[in-house]
Amino acid sequence: MVWDAWGVPSGHAPLPEKIRTLLAQVFGVSGEPVARRAADDVPLRPRALTGEQLAALSAVVGAEFVSSEHRDRLLRAGGKSTPDLLRRRAEGPQDAPDAVVFPADHEQVLAVLAACAERGIAVVPFGGGTSVVGGVDPARGRFGAVIALDLRRLDALVDVDPISLTATLGAGVTGPQAEKLLGAHGLSLGHFPQSFEFASIGGFAATRSSGQASVGYGRFDDMIQRLRIATPSGTVELGRAPASAAGPDLRELFAGSEGTLGVITEVTLRVHPTPETVAYQAWSFPDFATGAAALRTVVQTGAAPTVLRLSDEAETGLNLARAGDVGGNAVGGCLAITTFEGSAAHARARSAEANALLAAAGGTALGEQPARDWEHGRFSAPYLRDALLDVGILCETLETATSWSNLAELKTKVTAALTDSLTAQGTPALVMCHISHTYPTGASLYFTVVAKQADDPLAQWLIAKRAASDAISATGGTITHHHAIGADHRPWLGAEIGEVGVRVLRAVKQAVDPAGILNPGKLIP
Amino acid sequence: MVWDAWGVPSGHAPLPEKIRTLLAQVFGVSGEPVARRAADDVPLRPRALTGEQLAALSAVVGAEFVSSEHRDRLLRAGGKSTPDLLRRRAEGPQDAPDAVVFPADHEQVLAVLAACAERGIAVVPFGGGTSVVGGVDPARGRFGAVIALDLRRLDALVDVDPISLTATLGAGVTGPQAEKLLGAHGLSLGHFPQSFEFASIGGFAATRSSGQASVGYGRFDDMIQRLRIATPSGTVELGRAPASAAGPDLRELFAGSEGTLGVITEVTLRVHPTPETVAYQAWSFPDFATGAAALRTVVQTGAAPTVLRLSDEAETGLNLARAGDVGGNAVGGCLAITTFEGSAAHARARSAEANALLAAAGGTALGEQPARDWEHGRFSAPYLRDALLDVGILCETLETATSWSNLAELKTKVTAALTDSLTAQGTPALVMCHISHTYPTGASLYFTVVAKQADDPLAQWLIAKRAASDAISATGGTITHHHAIGADHRPWLGAEIGEVGVRVLRAVKQAVDPAGILNPGKLIP
């Protein structure tokens, strides 16, 4: 990952002419990118670890796996939200962990935690660094120093069970590495969030990630069979069976714990045979309500697509679901995408059932191509966001979920909160939305917001984000469907789980991390 | 429920002649039932509640909803396991709660908990009383008195959302009541455990119940959208969306908490339209391994039956899956049952896919009738168990789950533990097994054990049960797939969730129930 933007350098490209034209028309910006700081020129907060502390960490993992180098620290300075990038592009010194520690295995993670608990050093577990909610900010809490615990060396396919269709992966395995390792066994995980190319297995579990094929293969938490976790109080291994009535499911306490309760070091996951075929079918609906009702019918009937998405009128109009052609000719109405994976017969039977339902619900079949276009560009939206930031446009996303019956109300309220807030700041916004995760009882809503940057774009966005979060909370949505809590959503968690819920989280934290070194300032209110 | 056996009096009948013949041949028992105690003659432990305590409880719920009557106490003396019934049929006084309290609503539950916490009175939440793991034993812990908190007055369908296909039910609603209430809206829950006729919504949630249609509609915990819980520390309401990344899923901490962390008062559940059709199809497999592999293929392919079961050779030979004809002519091999529910087209498509897979995997189609027979008698096995107890036969069940790759080993080890243990006691046993809950990654195993009663049948069974539990734990199975922990499985929970897991449960308990009044002696090691 580059330090001040998403992804790899090769993913970044100048804005296409048609987008520059659009920006000039709508927002009156020229489309000329500003210069960014060179990584080596960025002053970092001075290192706070003592020689004794560095020696203790080196004694655990080896001196070559403890780095206080400028570049290593800078690359773990935080996540990839728009506020993160705005902060990183601003002038002045940059906060960063005091050192980056690279443990080799579970036992070294345990030993690092013990060493840090003893010395009062905060620990931020670090996977792909793709958090968009401040989840990997190098916060020190009440401690004088903080390390990033980078899990990339835990990169093995530990075990495959081709009978039970499960696989155990190290926490540091990235999305592409997982697919490659499993692919050698004819298997696939099928977890494709937008962060797929960089994010890690441990991060997926710690944040309850949800991929674009969640309708077909489930959310990441659904896939978890077994977790191995290192805590300052020792090892926890959870999950003996596909399902159990042996009391509370403690896996669900550590899944989504965002590094505050322990460091997930290994995850055993449900996998599936590499699909023989993929069937693609795109649809157009006259409006969002009709399209949403159609998706609802499909998922409530159990027609079982692998991917099922719907863009609203604004997103469809900008062609945002077809990354290669944003701003180009759109299909009109509301674009829906379906894919069906499995054996040829299975995919054929399921797509026939879903197609009949979608047609009966008012959809017009658009053939395969728009669905293939969506798939082709599905990981590239963050690069476009970065290019927009460079030319003075504010662009950010946020997401929520609710029941089907509350979906329209929630969409209206969040859209109004965003547009009102940004209009009131003198920067009218374009707000687009899609449904990308559906369940029999409800769905997610994913918003993309575009406006002209104000003089202080960070403050500008935080006002809009707060308004949207308040609207989500007041309208009964969850503050996050798949981005997690981190630091940014923490003020809204209390309303969601209540006072007793917060007390429970604090009690668990106290039990497993009595010194409080694990990811301070995240998740727990 | 009758006090010393399963179910209602009308469900009890003398053993059919063919079973009596079989018992005489195999176990040398005559088949003549022994006389049981009349309820009114059973001496109960003296009431321990003071006048002030009773007055305080009456002040909350009204005097007519606090009972210290002999019959009310006796009917809440515990659950319905074979050890429970053996204890109840033995001579001597019977333990029982000191009073039974019937709150009207959530607020009264909160107030009862507060009154009991203040006065040091243990509280056993009581639904249908169908626990087979000692989950509703009137244990006092360190307190002088205990009440049964009977939730039957929380019997409303609180809310229906026909768009989102969810419904909110009071904790005291029983299985049949739920289906009736929902049926009036054209909806069904589809949760049909063997305890269906008596057990309650709150109990299903508190014990992670799993019904016979779990392949189609999910386990009960899968159905939970929202929980309302009264704790001594206040109300908890959890679940805002079909799915969320807002930290740990605390619903999964209260689901399966067995009344030790709070009293579940309302549950919002995923429901579905009353199915238009049900397709039935039975199969025979030459042996259990072939049948298990066939079921695995079906569930891993996503062929989506509603019910999917397989009896082993011994269970098939005794015709145990066809309650009306136990001991009669069996189909031979291993009997498998499938049903498919939904629209006619949906059921047809799914059954066609599954039928092709089952036939290709070595199954012989047996037509509809054995599947209909199974459905017809599916709630009646506990009555047969009771009749066997009456004639000097020991009969009990236990269950576990594991991955597909570990299933054969686990079945072998548990069967050996049971047969070896009972043979060593001079009472050779018949051990039968079926798979009734399947998942892409594994399955449950449900064992039925029959032997001649020894002089002390309770001690005889506890030795066998301990051997089976040790075998489950050592072979990597879960100590319970759907019966819960209660008092009986508590010694094995520590091995399953580890020392840190136990510490977490204790910390949560301390946070929500600092006085420790909730269901002492259950679940938490």
Side-chain angles (χ1 to χ4, degrees):
Chain A
M1 289 273 242
V2 294
W3 79 281
D4 61 347
W6 183 260
V8 291
S10 61
H12 290 273
L15 283 174
E17 190 53 38
K18 64 190 165 208
I19 296 184
R20 293 175 58 153
T21 306
L22 205 64
L23 294 176
Q25 286 169 355
V26 178
F27 297 111
V29 302
S30 72
E32 279 308 310
V34 296
R36 302 211 308 254
R37 296 199 278 183
D40 293 344
D41 297 341
V42 180
L44 290 186
R45 176 173 175 147
R47 298 179 188 89
L49 285 167
T50 66
E52 188 279 334
Q53 289 172 330
L54 285 169
L57 294 168
S58 296
V60 173
V61 298
E64 68 272 41
F65 296 113
V66 179
S67 171
S68 302
E69 293 299 317
H70 181 275
R71 178 62 68 127
D72 283 329
R73 294 177 65 208
L74 189 62
L75 285 173
R76 287 146 192 102
K80 298 294 178 183
S81 70
T82 291
D84 287 333
L85 302 191
L86 290 172
R87 275 187 214 102
R88 236 161 280 163
R89 291 166 187 212
E91 292 187 10
Q94 173 70 45
D95 198 1
D98 297 300
V100 186
V101 178
F102 301 88
D105 55 28
H106 179 87
E107 282 65 37
Q108 287 194 359
V109 174
L110 273 180
V112 168
L113 295 183
C116 290
E118 192 185 328
R119 288 166 181 81
I121 303 168
V123 177
V124 178
F126 200 96
T130 60
S131 173
V132 290
V133 294
V136 291
D137 286 358
R140 285 158 177 76
R142 60 190 179 79
F143 303 104
V146 61
I147 61 164
L149 189 66
D150 191 309
L151 297 158
R152 65 181 54 202
R153 293 173 69 205
L154 282 72
D155 61 354
L157 174 57
V158 178
D159 185 53
V160 176
D161 179 345
I163 303 295
S164 311
L165 290 180
T166 62
T168 302
L169 291 157
V173 174
T174 65
Q177 285 172 343
E179 289 300 330
K180 191 175 171 194
L181 289 165
L182 291 168
H185 296 265
L187 299 171
S188 169
L189 182 57
H191 185 68
F192 300 112
Q194 201 166 64
S195 61
F196 167 77
E197 297 172 292
F198 306 100
S200 67
I201 293 296
F204 293 146
T207 59
R208 295 184 174 273
S209 174
S210 191
Q212 292 159 352
S214 69
V215 182
Y217 300 120
R219 299 164 55 81
F220 198 80
D221 44 19
D222 293 333
M223 300 176 181
I224 295 174
Q225 305 290 304
R226 194 172 173 86
L227 289 175
R228 190 172 196 211
I229 307 144
T231 81
S233 297
T235 294
V236 199
E237 291 185 312
L238 297 167
R240 280 202 164 207
S244 171
D249 189 344
L250 297 181
R251 290 175 301 188
E252 299 289 352
L253 200 54
F254 288 93
S257 64
E258 303 186 21
T260 65
L261 303 179
V263 180
I264 296 166
T265 59
E266 273 180 26
V267 188
T268 303
L269 293 156
R270 187 183 70 216
V271 297
H272 57 269
T274 309
E276 289 172 26
T277 56
V278 186
Y280 299 85
Q281 181 64 50
W283 295 83
S284 174
F285 289 91
D287 54 61
F288 188 74
T290 304
L295 265 59
R296 176 168 67 82
T297 302
V298 167
V299 73
Q300 288 183 341
T301 309
T306 306
V307 169
L308 182 63
R309 303 170 66 89
L310 174 71
S311 295
D312 74 355
E313 293 85 347
E315 189 173 292
T316 305
L318 258 191
N319 230 359
L320 203 63
R322 302 166 77 180
D325 204 27
V326 174
N329 289 332
V331 297
C334 289
L335 176 68
I337 304 288
T338 64
T339 76
F340 295 82
E341 295 185 1
S343 70
H346 186 87
R348 196 163 48 237
R350 298 302 188 270
S351 59
E353 185 173 355
N355 288 349
L357 291 168
L358 291 168
T364 304
L366 299 178
E368 294 190 2
Q369 201 53 48
R372 290 186 183 273
D373 291 348
W374 163 78
E375 187 180 67
H376 180 71
R378 62 179 171 164
F379 301 129
S380 61
Y383 289 110
L384 176 59
R385 185 265 315 251
D386 292 351
L388 291 171
L389 291 185
D390 282 346
V391 300
I393 295 291
L394 181 73
C395 177
E396 181 59 307
T397 63
L398 57 86
E399 41 79 56
T400 178
T402 191
S403 63
W404 286 111
S405 60
N406 193 39
L407 200 68
E409 173 83 356
L410 184 60
K411 181 171 186 286
T412 300
K413 288 287 170 60
V414 175
T415 302
L418 289 164
T419 49
D420 291 355
S421 163
L422 287 162
T423 300
Q425 297 183 65
T427 52
L430 187 61
V431 178
M432 297 160 279
C433 185
H434 66 245
I435 294 174
S436 45
H437 305 267
T438 55
Y439 306 86
T441 59
S444 68
L445 290 173
Y446 189 93
F447 295 90
T448 302
V449 188
V450 181
K452 185 177 175 180
Q453 288 181 19
D455 290 344
D456 183 347
L458 179 57
Q460 174 197 15
W461 173 248
L462 293 182
I463 290 168
K465 169 80 175 178
R466 187 177 313 122
S469 297
D470 287 344
I472 287 171
S473 192
T475 317
T478 178
I479 194 64
T480 172
H481 169 268
H482 58 269
H483 281 171
I485 296 291
D488 298 355
H489 290 143
R490 204 162 67 129
W492 290 271
L493 184 60
E496 188 149 339
I497 63 173
E499 198 187 312
V500 179
V502 171
R503 206 177 310 169
V504 165
L505 287 185
R506 288 184 185 148
V508 175
K509 170 82 172 171
Q510 176 66 27
V512 295
D513 177 25
I517 56 167
L518 279 169
N519 218 5
K522 319 295 161 52
L523 180 62
I524 303 171
Chain B
M1 289 273 241
V2 294
W3 79 282
D4 61 346
W6 183 260
V8 291
S10 62
H12 290 273
L15 284 175
E17 189 53 38
K18 65 189 165 208
I19 297 185
R20 292 174 59 151
T21 306
L22 205 65
L23 295 175
Q25 287 169 355
V26 179
F27 297 111
V29 303
S30 72
E32 279 309 308
V34 297
R36 301 213 306 254
R37 296 198 279 183
D40 293 344
D41 297 342
V42 179
L44 290 185
R45 175 173 175 146
R47 298 179 187 87
L49 284 167
T50 67
E52 188 279 334
Q53 289 172 330
L54 285 169
L57 294 168
S58 296
V60 173
V61 298
E64 69 272 40
F65 296 113
V66 179
S67 171
S68 300
E69 294 299 317
H70 181 274
R71 178 63 68 128
D72 283 330
R73 294 177 64 206
L74 189 61
L75 286 173
R76 285 143 192 105
K80 299 293 179 184
S81 70
T82 291
D84 288 332
L85 303 189
L86 291 171
R87 274 187 214 104
R88 236 162 280 164
R89 291 164 186 214
E91 293 187 8
Q94 173 70 45
D95 198 2
D98 297 300
V100 185
V101 177
F102 301 87
D105 55 28
H106 178 86
E107 282 64 37
Q108 289 194 358
V109 174
L110 273 179
V112 168
L113 295 183
C116 289
E118 190 184 330
R119 288 165 180 81
I121 302 168
V123 178
V124 179
F126 200 95
T130 59
S131 173
V132 291
V133 294
V136 291
D137 286 358
R140 285 158 177 77
R142 60 189 180 80
F143 304 104
V146 61
I147 62 164
L149 189 66
D150 191 309
L151 297 159
R152 63 181 55 203
R153 293 174 69 205
L154 283 71
D155 62 353
L157 174 58
V158 179
D159 185 54
V160 176
D161 180 345
I163 303 295
S164 311
L165 289 181
T166 62
T168 303
L169 291 157
V173 174
T174 65
Q177 285 172 344
E179 289 300 330
K180 191 175 171 194
L181 290 164
L182 292 169
H185 296 266
L187 299 171
S188 169
L189 182 57
H191 184 68
F192 301 111
Q194 202 165 64
S195 61
F196 168 76
E197 297 171 293
F198 306 101
S200 66
I201 294 296
F204 293 146
T207 60
R208 295 184 175 272
S209 173
S210 191
Q212 292 160 352
S214 69
V215 182
Y217 301 120
R219 298 165 56 81
F220 198 81
D221 46 18
D222 292 334
M223 300 176 181
I224 295 174
Q225 304 291 304
R226 191 172 176 87
L227 289 176
R228 189 172 196 212
I229 307 143
T231 81
S233 298
T235 295
V236 199
E237 291 184 312
L238 296 167
R240 281 202 164 208
S244 171
D249 189 345
L250 297 181
R251 290 175 302 189
E252 299 287 353
L253 199 54
F254 288 93
S257 63
E258 303 187 23
T260 65
L261 303 180
V263 179
I264 295 167
T265 59
E266 274 180 25
V267 188
T268 303
L269 293 156
R270 187 183 69 216
V271 297
H272 56 270
T274 309
E276 289 171 28
T277 55
V278 186
Y280 298 86
Q281 180 64 51
W283 295 83
S284 174
F285 288 90
D287 54 61
F288 188 74
T290 304
L295 266 60
R296 177 168 66 82
T297 302
V298 167
V299 72
Q300 288 182 341
T301 309
T306 306
V307 169
L308 183 63
R309 303 170 66 89
L310 174 71
S311 296
D312 74 355
E313 293 84 348
E315 189 174 291
T316 304
L318 258 190
N319 230 358
L320 204 63
R322 302 167 76 180
D325 205 28
V326 174
N329 289 333
V331 298
C334 289
L335 176 68
I337 305 287
T338 64
T339 76
F340 295 82
E341 296 184 0
S343 70
H346 186 87
R348 195 164 47 237
R350 298 303 187 271
S351 59
E353 184 173 357
N355 288 348
L357 291 167
L358 292 167
T364 305
L366 299 178
E368 294 189 1
Q369 200 53 48
R372 289 186 183 273
D373 292 347
W374 164 78
E375 188 180 66
H376 180 72
R378 61 179 170 164
F379 302 130
S380 62
Y383 291 110
L384 176 59
R385 184 266 315 252
D386 292 350
L388 292 170
L389 291 185
D390 281 348
V391 300
I393 295 292
L394 181 75
C395 178
E396 181 58 308
T397 63
L398 58 85
E399 40 78 56
T400 178
T402 191
S403 63
W404 286 111
S405 61
N406 194 39
L407 200 69
E409 172 84 354
L410 184 59
K411 182 172 186 287
T412 301
K413 288 286 170 62
V414 175
T415 302
L418 289 165
T419 50
D420 291 355
S421 162
L422 287 162
T423 301
Q425 297 183 64
T427 52
L430 187 61
V431 178
M432 298 160 280
C433 184
H434 65 244
I435 294 174
S436 46
H437 304 267
T438 55
Y439 306 86
T441 59
S444 68
L445 289 173
Y446 189 94
F447 295 89
T448 301
V449 188
V450 181
K452 186 177 175 180
Q453 289 182 18
D455 290 343
D456 182 348
L458 179 57
Q460 173 196 17
W461 172 247
L462 293 182
I463 291 168
K465 169 80 176 178
R466 188 177 313 123
S469 298
D470 287 344
I472 287 170
S473 192
T475 316
T478 177
I479 194 64
T480 173
H481 170 266
H482 58 270
H483 282 171
I485 296 291
D488 297 357
H489 289 143
R490 205 161 66 128
W492 290 272
L493 184 60
E496 188 148 340
I497 63 172
E499 198 188 311
V500 179
V502 171
R503 205 178 309 170
V504 165
L505 287 185
R506 288 184 185 148
V508 175
K509 171 83 171 169
Q510 176 66 27
V512 295
D513 177 25
I517 56 167
L518 279 169
N519 219 5
K522 319 295 162 51
L523 180 63
I524 304 171

